[in-house]
Amino acid sequence: MRLVFALMLWSGAAVADPVADVAAAAAAAFDEMPRVQRVDQIAGRCGADATVNDQVAYCTTRNVIFLVSDGSVAPYLVAHAYGHAVQVRHGVADFALAQIRARRSEEAMLRGLVARQVDCVAGFLMVQAGLPQASLMDWFEAEPFTGVHWGRHPLRVGPVVSIGLVERDAWFQIGQAGDLAACAPGEFTADLLVVALR
């Protein structure tokens, strides 16, 4: 029995870290991905205050994902933050912002497209990390990420978007199918994502 336990420790099986697996999958798939920094609280970092998500936040200014959560949803939280990082680092966020500035009356719809693509990329990264397929409906009773959780310094003024839990899960499922090209909601294609994919 001790030999089996020792072999598990030596092989890394007993110290699996799905958050690290998601980070490694993101770094393997895309250039310029942020590092994950585990912290005791997010408020006070990158201009975050108590209105910013208290479990995970992506600071684009420092290219760092701050993570407090260690629970079963932590890999998804980090994968979602990496979805934003992929968009920011590979031109999608710039394209989206230009569209939002040019079409202010459609801002909610356009931000909703961004959110759909983020959760699709999150699903894609979780599959690339070798994590089992999952449903957001099993983890959340209400839609996650409706408040500020990413942006430049100061984080407290980042964007706020709601598309509903069912819609988020639908795009998360599309991503988990493993085809990044399918992460193309509405008029937002996945072309820039596919070009950036290693």
Side-chain angles (χ1 to χ4, degrees), residues 100-169:
I100 289 166
R101 287 180 174 159
R103 300 158 57 188
R104 285 291 182 191
S105 65
E106 299 175 89
E107 181 173 353
M109 180 274 294
L110 293 166
R111 288 197 184 278
L113 297 179
V114 168
R116 287 168 175 84
Q117 189 173 68
V118 164
D119 273 311
C120 190
V121 172
F124 174 81
L125 290 175
M126 288 188 68
V127 165
Q128 297 304 302
L131 299 177
Q133 285 197 263
S135 170
L136 301 185
M137 312 296 269
D138 294 334
W139 293 331
F140 301 99
E141 292 182 12
E143 179 186 10
F145 295 117
T146 57
V148 176
H149 59 279
W150 76 280
R152 288 184 233 180
H153 188 284
L155 264 173
R156 66 182 170 273
V157 298
V160 175
V161 180
S162 176
I163 60 171
L165 180 57
V166 172
E167 190 69 7
R168 280 192 188 275
D169 186 56

Side-chain angles (χ1 to χ4, degrees), residues 23-78:
F30 300 99
D31 289 329
E32 301 178 51
M33 289 293 94
R35 65 185 171 84
V36 175
Q37 182 179 343
R38 293 180 189 260
V39 296
D40 58 350
Q41 69 176 32
I42 291 172
R45 300 177 192 278
C46 191
D49 62 13
T51 64
V52 174
N53 188 295
D54 64 356
Q55 295 299 300
V56 70
Y58 170 46
C59 174
T60 65
T61 305
R62 291 180 49 196
N63 200 29
V64 173
I65 295 170
F66 298 112
L67 176 67
V68 172
S69 178
D70 267 333
S72 60
V73 299
Y76 163 71
L77 299 178
V78 168

